[in-house]
Amino acid sequence: MPRKDKTALNGIKEIARQARVSIATVDRVIHNRTGVSEKTKEKIKAIIGALNYQPNIFARQLASRKKIEFAVLIPQVSAATSYWKAPIEGVLQAEKELMPLGISISRYLYDQQHKESFNQAAKKILKKKPAGVLLAPLFVKDTTAFVKACVAAKIQCVFIDADLPAENRLCYIGGDLYQSGMLAGHLIKYSTPDKTKVLVLNISDDLGEQNSQNLQHRLLQKEAGIRAYFEKYKSPRQIITLVVPKTEALAVEKQLLPILAEHKNIGCICVTNSRISTVAGIFEKRKIPKPMLLGYDVTEANIDYLKKGTIDFLLCDKPQEQGYRGMMVLYQRLVLGLPIESIQFMPIDIITRENYMYYQEGRTLLQ
Amino acid sequence: MPRKDKTALNGIKEIARQARVSIATVDRVIHNRTGVSEKTKEKIKAIIGALNYQPNIFARQLASRKKIEFAVLIPQVSAATSYWKAPIEGVLQAEKELMPLGISISRYLYDQQHKESFNQAAKKILKKKPAGVLLAPLFVKDTTAFVKACVAAKIQCVFIDADLPAENRLCYIGGDLYQSGMLAGHLIKYSTPDKTKVLVLNISDDLGEQNSQNLQHRLLQKEAGIRAYFEKYKSPRQIITLVVPKTEALAVEKQLLPILAEHKNIGCICVTNSRISTVAGIFEKRKIPKPMLLGYDVTEANIDYLKKGTIDFLLCDKPQEQGYRGMMVLYQRLVLGLPIESIQFMPIDIITRENYMYYQEGRTLLQ
DNA sequence: CTGAAAGCGCTTACAG
DNA sequence: CTGAAAGCGCTTACAG
C-alpha cells in the first residue's frame, strides 16, 4: 500500500501548477534549454523567483545518472622536489569525501621539466571534458592557451600554487607571496642581531624564458616583502640577492661560497623556494658555522634539517589544503551551485622543530 | 515515452534478485531492522558483502525525507572573552555547505559562568534528539553525564577545544596542549637572551572545583611543554608560574607587579589562555618597558596589541576550523558513513604582526 | 514549442 | 516474517 502522500509545495511540480505548464517545460527553463517560448519562459522564471525555488540536489543527482568528473593537472613528484606530494594528498582526501557523492577525480601529472608533457596531459583533459579542473600554472603561455580552451568547452578552472591573469578562471587558492616575505622579515628581525646582513637566494633550474619569468616573479615578490618589512619598521638591513639557475648542490655551493667569503656577518640565509635543504647540506658538509636558515615548504629534506636544528624556520602556504580546497571549491560550484570567492589566500604557516609534525606530508586534513 | 532502461547491477534490487526475496526485506537487513529470519538475514548479508554494496545516498536521502539535524553546544561570546566567536563562524561555514544537502544545524550557546545554563541547553538537545552534537566540555562532570545520555539516545558527540575521557565519543578535534607549550618554548628561546627568566601566567575566573580543575589542567600541560623544551635543548631557564583567579585588569595588575619587582630580568611573559591582552594593557598603561609577550588565541583585544607590537607572538589551534571540521566530521560519519579518526590534533599556528590578517575572526575557511 | 510518462534507487506504510 | 506498490523530486527520451 502506498504511504501518505505529501507533495512538496515548492518543487518543480508546484511551479508547473502555478504556471499551468508541464514539469518538463519548467525543467527546460531551469536549465536554460532551448525550445520554450519567451512568454512562458518569463512566466516560469517569475514564479521560480517568487517561490525562491531551490532544486533538490538528491533528486537531481538520482534522476540524471550523470557521473560528475573533475581533473587535476599538476606536476608529478620529481627528483628535484617532493613539493607536489602535498597537493596530491589533499586531492586524495577530497576524493574520499566526494566519491560517495558520485564524483570521480582523474589525475594528470606532468613532468615539470618538460613542457610537452604538460601539453599532452592538457590535451587528454580537453578530450575527456571533465566538469572542472584543478591546475598549477607553471608554463605561463601554455597554461593560458589551455584555460582558454577550457572556457570554450565549459570546463571550470581552479588555480593553485600560483595565479595567472586568466579571465574566467573560477578562483585562485594559494599563498600571498609578498605577505610571506613580510613574515620572513619579521622572523629574521626577531631572531638575528640588527646589524647582520640577509642573503636572499633563489635556486631553480632555468627552463627558458617563460618558466624563469614565473619563478623570477615569485622571488621578486618575496624579496620585496622582506625589504618592505625592514623599511616599515625602520630597521635597515643590507639585503643581498642571488639567483642560482641550477639545483645541484655543487652548483649552489660554487656560487654561495664566494658570497660568504665576501660578506662577513650574514645573519640569515633565506631561500625563496623549497631548496633551503641544499644550503643546509652545504653548511653541514663543510662544518662551518651557519647563520639562521629560513626557507619555504615542508619537504622531507627540509624537515630532516629542521629536526637537527640546521634549518631554523620553514614557511609554507598549506599545499595540501590547496589541493583539498581546490577540489571542494569545484564541488561547491558545480554540484551545489554556491558562489565562490575568486581569490582565496591561504594562511602562511610558520614551521619549527616543535610543530612540524602537524604539517608533515601524509597527514590528512579531515579524518 | 520511457527512456532506455538500464538497471544498476549492484543496487538493492540486484541483492533482492540474488537472495530471492523482496527489496523490502533487503532494506530491513541493511538497516538492522527486526522482523527478518536469521536465515534470510545471513543470506542477504553474504550477498551484500560479495557485491560490495554501496548504498546510493541520493536515493536514500530522497526517499526518506528525513531531515538530518546537528546541534552545537558551546559557550556564547562573553564580556570576558570573544574566543568562542571563532568556532561559531566555522559552524556557520559548515552550515552553508551542508544546508543544500538537507542538513540543519541548531546552536545552543550557554553562559560559561553559569553551569545551569549549560545543563538547560543540554536538556533541550536531549529532547530534540539531533543525529549528532558538537560540544566543548567546560564543566567536566555535567558534560560527562550529558555524553552518557547522548550515547543512550544514539546521539553522536564530537568534542572541540578540550577532550574528555568519555567513552563512545566520536572524536576530539583540537590542539595538543603539551606540544603548544614546546612551541612557545622554541619561540622564547629564539627571541630572548639565554639568562632571562620566563613568567608563565594563567588568568581565569575561579568557578569552583570542576571548572578550575579543567583550567588547571590546561595550564599544567602547557607549562610542562615549555619546561620540557628548555630541558630537551639543554638551555635552562628559570620559569615562574602564577595563577590569577580573576580576569579584571586591576586584579591581574595587583598580582603581577610584585612579581615584576621581585624578579628582575624577566625576558618573556607567557599567558596560557586568551588573556595576554590584559597583561599588554598593564604595560601600556604604566609605560614600563615590556618583556617579550606571548599568548594564545586570536581575539580582537589580542590583535590590537599585536598590531602595535606590544604582544609579540600569539599561538592558536584554529578554533574556527575546529567548529568547521567538527560539523563536517558529523556529516562524514552520519551521512556518508565514513570512518572517523578519534583524535584529530589541529596544527598550532604562530601568529605575528605580519600574518594575523589571515587568522582573524570573520575570515571564512572555504569560499 | 509543449506534455505524458517512465524511471533513477531507495524508504515507507501497509497487507498478509 | 515477507512482499507489492507508491512515492521522494527530479531528468530523460520520446510523441505531437
Side-chain angles (χ1 to χ4, degrees), chain A residues 38 54 67 71 119 144 163 178-179 216 255 261 304 323 333 349:
Chain A
E38 205 52 44
Q54 299 295 115
K67 292 283 168 238
N119 283 318
T144 307
D163 203 4
Y178 179 81
Q179 198 59 40
Q216 195 72 8
Q255 286 199 52
D304 281 346
R333 179 82 271 250
D349 288 319

Side-chain angles (χ1 to χ4, degrees), chain A residues 44-94:
Chain A
I44 291 172
K45 274 188 174 169
I47 294 168
I48 285 174
L51 289 177
N52 184 25
Y53 167 70
Q54 299 295 115
N56 180 321
I57 70 156
F58 296 103
R60 177 174 282 182
Q61 206 66 18
L62 180 61
S64 87
R65 294 106 60 144
K66 211 182 286 157
K67 292 283 168 238
I68 293 173
E69 227 194 283
F70 296 153
V72 176
L73 179 62
I74 63 178
Q76 59 201 197
V77 176
S78 68
T81 176
S82 64
Y83 176 80
W84 293 99
K85 224 169 153 177
I88 283 290
E89 271 168 12
V91 168
L92 288 174
Q93 177 60 31

Side-chain angles (χ1 to χ4, degrees), chain B residues 258-277:
Chain B
I259 301 270
L260 293 178
E262 185 187 341
H263 299 272
K264 298 298 172 194
N265 201 20
I266 287 182
C268 172
I269 298 180
C270 169
V271 177
T272 55
N273 51 16
S274 66
R275 272 79 168 204
I276 183 76
S277 56

